[in-house]
Amino acid sequence: MKEQSLKVAVIGAGMAGLLAARELKREGHRVIVFEKTSRLGGTWVYDPRVETDPLGLDPSRKIVHSSMYSSLRVNLPRRLMGFLDYPFLKKQDGDTREFPGHREVLRYLEDFARDFWLVELIRFEHEVVRVERVNGVSHEWIVEWRTREGESEEEEVFEAVIVCNGHHTEPRIAEFPGMDTWPGVQIHSHNYRTPEPFKNKIVVLIGNGPSAHDILREISSVAKEVHQALRASDVHFKKLENRNNIWQHPVIERTDEDGKVIFQDGSFVCADIIIHCTGYKYHFPFLRTNGIVNVDDNCVGPLYKHVFPPYLAPWLSFVGLPYRAVPTLIIELQSRWLAKVLSGKLALPCEEEMASSVEELYQHMNESGRPKHHTHQLQQNKFDYENWLVNQLGLPPLEDWREQLYFYALKKIPSDAGDDYRDWDTWDINQWIQE
Ligand code: FAD
């Protein structure tokens, strides 16, 4: 492919959309970023509103994009969260903790957008409602948007589309017999903001991820009792030693109409609220590819290296899908890669090779017993994917401290709802890296 400058649409002005826009701009592409809200930053724009359906099941509900809760602090050291050439520095007039609160991340993204002249590329309050190939066949894309509810819709043609709409908005919930007739309140963590509604309540919390830990700790400071339901095979009913109102149970077996929540080991509790901290689904309501790209059991595919659908590459791509990784690093490397692929400086394998690489991944997952919905979950023990991207880009190898610090940080996240792992705020990371 000869070097070229394309007209590219980026959907979303969160971290992924901003990084993609910067890299595309650097490569000389003409970029328009569509952002449905009035601010950049995506997930990091705290929104005190919650949705009308607290479980997020009603497709006609008014969507609130961000899942941030008021007290959220980052779960990775800021040193890891900064972009490769734009560190997440401590600002004297800001939140200087090693694990700052969400407002500091938003400020970092706003500074980044300003410093790289990205704001003028963004069309705010432009919600993309349709992305479809012109006449269903060409390599050009119609992007249709609406500016505000009720207003007429408009469209424009682009040569490439980058999907950066985020994947922490569409709740995935736990399912158990009796949940539809259980009389208490059920919410998903997407609609959790502050602990006040849980005051003096008996709460069952489902989940064991970073948000589940934060919310459990926070709720337990006001609730009467909190019962955590965990999937791990070795969990049995127990009261946590370091807390006087937190119990652990295996998963929920069923709920009864009298308010009882019965766990798999037979233990039960009469609860007021169940909170599902059970993750999110990939969701692309605007995307029409005639079945070429699908979401099946939370696997978006087929996607070569989690970015390009082989049959539509490089004209359609996705940024930021992998998880259990450092999101900023993945997003930045993917953005650099796709920008160079679009400009013709880097080549992709042919369609058949990309498709067989995807098949190999599926087969490998199948043989190793990994469920389909873990397709975009990266390996827990090394930075293979990141290093592969670095290699494609011809960049110098990533510094060893990144991988070491990430796995060190992961180990610090407790398996029990103990103290806040961010207490290592006073830890001198620079010295640790030097050593
Ligand atoms: P988002 O930030 O979700 O941005 C997507 C953007 O697309 C939004 O602005 C949205 O309005 C816009 N959009 C969506 N649909 C459309 C449409 N149809 N048309 C136009 N615009 C649209 N990561 C970390 O690195 N460290 C952390 O500590 C951390 N904590 C987290 C805590 C929580 C509770 C959550 C939910 C996530 C956390 N993450 C964390 C992950 C975080 O999501 C990523 O760091 C990153 O912000 C993802 O960026 P994104 O651009 O992919 O998605």
Side-chain angles (χ1 to χ4, degrees):
M1 204 196 286
K2 68 176 188 346
E3 289 189 20
Q4 58 189 1
S5 155
L6 302 179
K7 182 180 173 192
V8 187
V10 174
I11 303 171
M15 190 184 280
L18 293 172
L19 275 164
R22 182 186 68 163
E23 298 307 327
L24 289 161
K25 193 173 162 216
R26 274 180 167 169
E27 284 298 314
H29 299 293
R30 289 153 288 140
V31 187
I32 292 175
V33 182
F34 291 91
E35 169 51 52
K36 70 177 176 183
T37 71
S38 56
R39 288 187 73 175
L40 62 84
T43 288
W44 299 99
V45 180
Y46 174 74
D47 189 338
R49 293 174 305 156
V50 291
E51 294 176 356
T52 41
D53 174 3
L55 266 187
L57 296 176
D58 176 4
S60 66
R61 73 197 187 278
K62 182 137 179 44
I63 308 276
V64 174
H65 183 80
S66 177
S67 304
M68 280 292 132
Y69 31 95
S70 174
S71 65
L72 184 128
R73 291 172 62 193
V74 298
N75 54 26
L76 292 171
R78 62 192 304 146
R79 180 78 191 236
L80 267 181
M81 281 187 62
F83 306 149
L84 291 172
D85 57 359
Y86 194 82
F88 187 11
L89 298 173
K90 297 181 182 178
K91 299 216 159 147
Q92 281 318 312
D93 61 341
D95 181 345
T96 56
R97 293 173 294 182
E98 191 55 49
F99 295 82
H102 55 81
R103 284 176 191 81
E104 197 67 9
V105 183
L106 179 61
R107 183 174 159 188
Y108 169 71
L109 293 176
E110 286 171 342
D111 289 350
F112 173 76
R114 187 202 55 223
D115 291 351
F116 287 94
W117 303 91
L118 303 176
V119 183
E120 56 256 44
L121 305 180
I122 306 172
R123 291 188 188 166
F124 290 103
E125 295 191 342
H126 279 55
E127 177 178 5
V128 172
V129 292
R130 181 168 65 103
V131 171
E132 191 169 19
R133 285 192 299 166
V134 174
N135 300 324
V137 286
S138 96
H139 285 313
E140 290 188 322
W141 296 88
I142 301 171
V143 173
E144 183 179 332
W145 68 85
R146 66 169 162 239
T147 47
R148 230 172 259 157
E149 250 167 309
E151 277 186 20
S152 64
E153 294 171 357
E154 292 176 62
E155 61 183 51
E156 200 169 321
V157 172
F158 290 84
E159 290 162 294
V161 173
I162 322 289
V163 179
C164 302
N165 66 327
H167 51 91
H168 291 105
T169 298
E170 193 69 17
R172 194 151 53 121
I173 57 162
E175 288 181 10
F176 39 83
M179 68 182 294
D180 295 341
T181 49
W182 189 70
V185 173
Q186 293 191 59
I187 79 162
H188 186 275
S189 54
H190 172 61
N191 288 307
Y192 175 82
R193 298 292 179 270
T194 60
E196 281 75 42
F198 298 82
K199 199 166 175 194
N200 298 326
K201 304 284 187 204
I202 300 181
V203 183
V204 172
L205 179 145
I206 309 171
N208 198 23
S211 293
H213 283 282
D214 281 350
I215 295 172
L216 178 67
R217 214 175 24 252
E218 188 161 83
I219 287 178
S220 68
S221 65
V222 299
K224 192 167 164 196
E225 297 175 10
V226 187
H227 297 262
Q228 185 184 17
L230 297 144
R231 193 169 282 290
S233 54
D234 56 347
V235 174
H236 50 273
F237 175 51
K238 70 168 186 199
K239 187 172 181 189
L240 287 197
E241 275 172 22
N242 53 348
R243 298 293 175 132
N244 61 9
N245 64 346
I246 304 180
W247 285 262
Q248 283 188 341
H249 305 256
V251 291
I252 296 175
E253 187 180 83
R254 64 170 206 280
T255 47
D256 284 351
E257 283 181 37
D258 61 3
K260 255 195 222 120
V261 177
I262 299 119
F263 302 93
Q264 239 168 26
D265 60 354
S267 59
F268 67 89
V269 60
C270 281
D272 303 301
I273 308 180
I274 298 177
I275 174 160
H276 297 240
C277 301
T278 39
Y280 296 87
K281 292 182 200 161
Y282 297 105
H283 191 51
F284 311 102
F286 46 81
L287 194 57
R288 298 192 200 162
T289 62
N290 275 331
I292 295 173
V293 185
N294 291 299
V295 184
D296 177 19
D297 192 17
N298 225 26
C299 160
V300 188
L303 287 187
Y304 177 62
K305 300 290 179 190
H306 308 281
V307 175
F308 292 108
Y311 185 62
L312 300 171
W315 319 111
L316 179 69
S317 55
F318 295 76
V319 178
L321 300 192
Y323 60 96
R324 293 275 168 86
V326 181
T328 42
L329 181 60
I330 297 280
I331 290 171
E332 185 169 6
L333 293 173
Q334 287 181 330
S335 298
R336 287 187 184 201
W337 183 44
L338 71 86
K340 284 191 189 296
V341 167
L342 284 177
S343 64
K345 288 188 186 153
L346 290 176
L348 290 175
C350 68
E351 187 190 319
E352 290 72 27
E353 271 179 62
M354 288 191 277
S356 66
S357 156
V358 180
E359 272 313 310
E360 262 172 47
L361 170 69
Y362 292 169
Q363 201 178 331
H364 177 71
M365 289 189 59
N366 206 4
E367 283 163 8
S368 49
R370 285 175 66 202
K372 195 166 195 176
H373 62 261
H374 284 181
T375 301
H376 305 294
Q377 178 182 309
L378 298 185
Q379 293 292 327
Q380 282 250 340
N381 51 357
K382 31 189 162 55
F383 268 27
D384 285 351
Y385 180 70
E386 293 83 339
N387 288 325
W388 184 88
L389 286 167
V390 163
N391 201 274
Q392 290 295 302
L393 288 160
L395 294 173
L398 290 170
E399 308 92 319
D400 286 345
W401 65 260
R402 287 185 192 276
E403 197 168 329
Q404 286 170 17
L405 184 55
Y406 175 66
F407 290 111
Y408 189 77
L410 272 197
K411 268 196 237 138
K412 284 270 188 185
I413 299 179
S415 55
D416 264 3
D419 297 327
D420 191 342
Y421 56 92
R422 300 174 184 91
D423 288 347
W424 46 306
D425 250 343
T426 48
W427 181 48
D428 188 342
I429 289 192
N430 290 335
Q431 197 187 331
W432 185 84
I433 290 169
Q434 270 170 19
E435 282 168 11

